[in-house]
Amino acid sequence: GHFECPPYNQQTIRSAYHVRNIEVFKLKQLKRPIDIFMSHDWPRSIYHYGNKKQLLKMKSFFRQEVESNTLGSPAASELLQHLKPTYWFSAHLHVKFAAFMQHQTNSKEELPKATKFLALDKCLPHRDFLQIIDIEHDPSAGDSLEYDAEWIAVLKATNSLVNVTQSSWNMPEKNGLHAKWDYSATEEAIKLVLEELNHNLKIPCNFTLTAACYDPSKPQKHMEPVHIINPQTTEFCAQFGLTDINDRIQQAKEEGAVRGDYEEEEEEEEMDSTGSAEEPSEYNTDNSGLSSINPDEIMLDEEGGDEDLSTCSVDPSPDHPPDFSASFSDIRIMPDSMAVSSDDTMDSTNEELEKSGVSKQVEEKSLNERPLKRIGGNENGNSGIKKIKRRNQAIYAAEDEDKTE
């Protein structure tokens, strides 16, 4: 469930940005065509539908996860195959990559759909970070942002599934255990939403400041973040009879329920904080494969550890024909002069270590090379257990292999 709120601790600061199975479930209820889908993480497996060889030439440390098909978000991959949007844009991995995915049809009568995927590089000099794509616009539609009646109908239908605890729970399935498993919007439900809005879908301009603007003359370096109820969200939920999750979390926090549940389970959560794929959920929410860290880059701050990557060519390989459809036929190809600079993987490593955590495969492989993780501590995050760095790694590796056998 959604249970995190400021002030964050060492566990909630990591779990706050993870995808919830309820969000995937709600999005899968959409039936109408989708033009554009945006996600931070790449959908898992999308690299198989583009110039994979060139991708691995630019980002060689992706190879292990690409070959084991663990790079990217499994939740995003599930949504890509289910929703089949015309375009899918992602970020996160700091490299330009295009792909073309032809979806399978369920019947001979169904017209085949395809998705054009595009990710771009970081916004830095000499990097491919910008691309302009023209999307056809309905001439009869207005220029202002509008609500989507189908999505609001889905939110209303799934409102009873909202959970503000940190417990894992399964979404309804057609498995004989749930009286209802289809929460997609009926035409009647959509009609009711339109009637509620008097057929005026325009989103109101009701922005309200909830935090003071930054004043350089009054620096506040160590301000502790506080949980703020957003007035736009409150108004939206009240208008459509939805649960305001932030308000519910605040109520639970005041009652002491959320904090009490956390402190009882903190040690267990800390020991299993890698996003295990074995959670009892229909949707695999393991995001541990998203960081794609090059293990060699960890030592970049030491002498001799910085490897010059400027010689890595990004020219299309002769074994890879240039007519590959994934490069967007109407879009420019990455220039031949493009080179991967040494700060490419370094920037990726520093940011992604903080945001996403080390990938499960790399973490297991380098367990003997890193200090043991904290499994308990006080409120300030100080551990009562010393951090140990193993030496003679080859000996320990051999010992671990024997135990595994």
Side-chain angles (χ1 to χ4, degrees):
H2 291 274
F3 67 97
E4 304 90 348
C5 66
Y8 298 108
N9 54 46
Q10 290 300 311
Q11 192 256 337
T12 57
I13 203 170
R14 288 196 303 272
S15 66
Y17 53 78
H18 283 73
V19 178
R20 319 289 152 143
N21 58 5
I22 187 174
E23 308 302 347
V24 178
F25 180 81
K26 287 189 290 189
L27 285 165
K28 286 184 69 175
Q29 306 309 308
L30 294 173
K31 303 298 182 186
R32 294 182 175 181
I34 293 179
D35 297 312
I36 300 170
F37 198 107
M38 299 177 71
S39 66
H40 181 75
D41 300 316
W42 290 24
R44 183 168 292 183
S45 303
I46 193 63
Y47 32 81
H48 294 312
Y49 297 88
N51 194 332
K52 185 166 56 178
K53 190 169 186 178
Q54 182 175 331
L55 174 67
L56 294 178
K57 187 174 286 188
M58 291 186 290
K59 299 277 188 177
S60 59
F61 48 92
F62 288 176
R63 182 173 298 278
Q64 180 183 352
E65 289 169 272
V66 167
E67 290 178 350
S68 62
N69 201 31
T70 55
L71 178 67
S73 165
S77 178
E78 184 175 346
L79 287 171
L80 170 61
Q81 295 177 46
H82 184 83
L83 298 175
K84 304 177 176 64
T86 307
Y87 291 92
W88 187 299
F89 301 123
S90 293
H92 188 61
L93 295 182
H94 304 156
V95 61
K96 178 177 179 179
F97 181 75
F100 184 86
M101 182 176 181
Q102 188 82 44
H103 297 283
Q104 295 181 344
T105 57
N106 298 322
S107 63
K108 293 181 180 179
E109 294 77 24
E110 184 181 350
L111 292 174
K113 294 181 180 180
T115 297
K116 290 183 176 182
F117 171 85
L118 180 64
L120 295 172
D121 205 342
K122 295 182 73 173
C123 186
L124 291 172
H126 311 295
R127 306 276 279 270
D128 238 357
F129 61 83
L130 178 65
Q131 186 157 304
I132 296 174
I133 297 174
D134 292 322
I135 309 293
E136 188 176 346
H137 178 63
D138 181 359
S140 65
D143 295 329
S144 59
L145 292 174
E146 294 184 347
Y147 290 126
D148 184 274
E150 182 192 18
W151 176 242
I152 291 176
V154 168
L155 293 180
K156 290 166 74 73
T158 57
N159 190 58
S160 61
L161 301 176
V162 169
N163 188 329
V164 294
T165 74
Q166 61 178 328
S167 302
S168 298
W169 86 110
N170 293 328
M171 292 294 99
E173 296 179 66
K174 190 178 180 180
N175 57 5
L177 300 176
H178 302 95
K180 182 179 179 180
W181 56 85
D182 183 359
Y183 287 77
S184 57
T186 63
E187 289 301 320
E188 185 177 347
I190 295 173
K191 184 180 177 182
L192 287 174
V193 170
L194 292 172
E195 289 175 357
E196 282 185 56
L197 294 168
N198 293 320
H199 293 267
N200 179 16
L201 295 172
K202 186 176 180 180
I203 295 175
C205 296
N206 60 349
F207 174 75
T208 307
L209 283 172
T210 57
C213 296
Y214 172 69
D215 185 352
S217 65
K218 300 175 182 177
Q220 295 175 318
K221 292 184 178 179
H222 301 291
M223 275 190 64
E224 186 173 280
V226 294
H227 187 210
I228 297 174
I229 306 299
N230 185 282
Q232 294 95 258
T233 303
T234 300
E235 184 177 331
F236 175 82
C237 292
Q239 182 174 10
F240 297 108
L242 305 174
T243 299
D244 186 340
I245 294 176
N246 273 324
D247 187 54
R248 280 278 301 276
I249 292 174
Q250 181 66 29
Q251 291 176 21
K253 183 181 177 185
E254 290 172 356
E255 294 165 3
V258 172
R259 183 59 57 191
D261 289 345
Y262 167 70
E263 288 180 355
E264 288 174 9
E265 298 177 19
E266 179 183 16
E267 184 172 344
E268 181 182 347
E269 291 290 333
E270 281 290 326
M271 294 177 69
D272 187 25
S273 60
T274 55
S276 172
E278 287 77 36
E279 292 179 350
S281 169
E282 176 188 358
Y283 303 106
N284 185 338
T285 55
D286 175 17
N287 288 339
S288 59
L290 298 176
S291 48
S292 306
I293 305 302
N294 181 355
D296 296 334
E297 295 296 319
I298 295 174
M299 307 301 290
L300 280 180
D301 57 336
E302 298 184 9
E303 290 184 7
D306 193 355
E307 183 179 348
D308 183 11
L309 301 177
S310 59
T311 57
C312 294
S313 168
V314 296
D315 296 345
S317 166
D319 334 1
H320 203 297
D323 61 344
F324 191 73
S325 59
S327 58
F328 285 95
S329 57
D330 57 338
I331 293 170
R332 68 186 180 86
I333 305 299
M334 190 176 282
D336 294 343
S337 60
M338 189 76 177
V340 180
S341 61
S342 59
D343 67 333
D344 191 5
T345 51
M346 185 164 60
D347 291 345
S348 248
T349 300
N350 292 341
E351 292 182 13
E352 291 162 10
L353 273 170
E354 294 174 1
K355 294 181 181 176
S356 300
V358 182
S359 73
K360 191 170 185 179
Q361 288 73 26
V362 174
E363 185 175 15
E364 292 173 354
K365 181 179 178 183
S366 61
L367 181 61
N368 297 339
E369 303 172 14
R370 301 186 291 108
L372 294 178
K373 69 175 296 196
R374 180 174 68 86
I375 58 173
N378 58 25
E379 293 178 357
N380 299 322
N382 297 325
S383 173
I385 300 175
K386 292 183 179 180
K387 293 183 177 179
I388 302 170
K389 184 173 183 180
R390 286 186 173 180
R391 301 184 184 278
N392 301 323
Q393 296 159 6
I395 298 174
Y396 285 102
E399 180 181 340
D400 289 343
E401 287 173 6
D402 293 338
K403 289 180 179 178
T404 304
E405 292 174 1

